[in-house]
Amino acid sequence: MDQTGKQTDTRHTNRVTILGARGSIPVSGADHVIYGGATSCVLLEADTAVEVEKTAEHVILFDAGSGLLNLPQRVWGEHATVHVFLSHFHLDHLMGIPMSHMLFDDAAEVHFYAEDGERIPQVFSQMMAEPLWPVGPGAFRAKLSYHTIGSQPVRINPLQAESGSEHLLTVTAVPVTHPGGAQAFRVDWGDHSVVYATDCDPDEGTGRFLECFAADADLFILDAQYTDEEYERSRGFGHPGMRTSAQIITASGAKKGLFFHHAPNHRDEQLKELENELQKHCKHISYAREGDVITL
């Protein structure tokens, strides 16, 4: 993995792109340039080809916040099929849906997954209903389908894996503690693994099982919205303190950790100071920046 967390290579194989890392509500302005202001959306492009000289890329999105608008057209233009895993139905994780260019492209095929897949179209309809929005989901032109992801992993490419041409690409979900419920996701293929766990509070109720869930992952993206002082004032809101998140990432053995879901009131200067202090003790953890590209 690129230790800087960034690269300028034009290849798309086995990489994660941070399209939005902000929590709760989008922000903008001069104080939110470095870490970005778009809400939760992460792109994973995974190459499952067994033979090194071949490629077999699959596209996964985690959440569909306003960062979804940063998704480049090439993603669905090249791959057509996109798999979107929704951690939960809070608005900051869905607000990119109504304006997503991908969903208005009849060449795109988009599979949505959530803990209750049958609720997804209902939630979209509620979010885009008058007087809140001028058009409903009926305006979408992409081919859409909705799926439930529960205790059994989702297999993205079972036929190709059974034929021996690709490594099996699986997505596993576990429930996490958050008001209204939420899920964390782990993607595994070949020798690679990525974990996405936002809107969770390991210190409330369920303990720190995420350490095991993310064991030895290449990349562990974890909510770290609050400073420790802020956490004490915000217990029950469903987000961890940064100290807890650092302990979990370190205990998991993940090769690289990214703090995610930055509080909207945390400006670049404050986040940079927090990151510098963190990396004195945890050099393998950094704060997610909108536009970051991490190669695996």
Side-chain angles (χ1 to χ4, degrees), residues 186 195 208-217 220 248 251-253:
R186 177 176 177 131
V195 174
R208 298 182 180 179
F209 67 91
L210 285 172
E211 297 172 6
C212 297
F213 185 64
D216 301 321
F220 187 0
I248 290 173
S252 74

Side-chain angles (χ1 to χ4, degrees), residues 13-270:
T13 300
N14 289 333
R15 70 181 194 176
V16 171
T17 305
I18 306 299
L19 302 177
R22 193 65 58 167
S24 303
I25 194 169
V27 291
S28 63
D31 290 327
H32 302 94
V33 174
I34 298 174
Y35 297 90
T39 63
S40 302
C41 190
V42 174
L43 168 66
L44 167 63
E45 294 166 282
D47 182 2
T48 59
V50 171
E51 298 182 32
V52 175
E53 65 273 12
K54 297 183 179 180
T55 60
E57 294 179 351
H58 298 272
V59 174
I60 287 173
L61 286 171
F62 300 113
D63 280 328
S66 63
L68 181 63
L69 304 187
N70 292 326
L71 182 68
Q73 192 276 339
R74 67 154 184 86
V75 171
W76 70 90
E78 292 177 4
H79 304 292
T81 302
V82 177
H83 301 269
V84 184
F85 289 83
L86 302 173
S87 62
H88 62 309
F89 294 140
H90 284 170
L91 185 58
D92 54 324
H93 294 257
L94 299 175
M95 59 175 51
I97 294 293
M99 291 291 290
S100 168
H101 294 294
M102 175 176 66
L103 300 182
F104 287 93
D105 189 336
D106 57 11
E109 179 178 348
V110 185
H111 296 262
F112 287 98
Y113 304 80
E115 187 173 12
D116 185 351
E118 293 182 358
R119 285 191 62 196
I120 300 174
Q122 175 190 354
V123 169
F124 289 177
S125 294
Q126 290 174 327
M127 180 174 60
M128 298 176 67
E130 294 184 354
L132 302 179
W133 202 255
V135 297
F140 293 150
R141 299 178 62 187
K143 181 182 178 181
L144 307 181
S145 58
Y146 309 100
H147 312 273
T148 293
I149 178 168
S151 59
Q152 296 301 314
V154 169
R155 300 165 60 182
I156 300 296
N157 60 339
L159 296 180
Q160 296 91 329
E162 289 171 6
S163 72
S165 63
E166 297 184 23
H167 297 291
L168 182 62
L169 179 65
T170 63
V171 183
T172 306
V174 294
V176 292
T177 302
H178 189 69
Q183 289 180 304
F185 302 113
R186 177 176 177 131
V187 186
D188 290 281
W189 72 103
D191 295 328
H192 297 299
S193 54
V194 171
V195 174
Y196 174 85
T198 187
D199 291 62
C200 57
D201 187 351
D203 284 335
E204 290 286 335
T206 55
R208 298 182 180 179
F209 67 91
L210 285 172
E211 297 172 6
C212 297
F213 185 64
D216 301 321
D218 288 333
L219 178 65
F220 187 0
I221 302 170
L222 180 59
D223 191 327
Q225 177 160 337
Y226 298 128
T227 64
D228 293 340
E229 181 182 358
E230 289 169 340
Y231 177 77
E232 293 305 319
R233 302 195 303 266
S234 307
R235 284 185 178 272
F237 287 12
H239 303 280
M242 297 172 185
R243 184 187 303 271
T244 292
S245 296
Q247 291 172 344
I248 290 173
I249 291 173
T250 300
S252 74
K255 297 179 180 67
K256 180 175 179 61
L258 281 183
F259 277 4
F260 192 75
H261 207 271
H262 311 316
N265 62 312
H266 286 175
R267 299 178 298 176
D268 285 341
E269 182 180 1
Q270 181 181 6

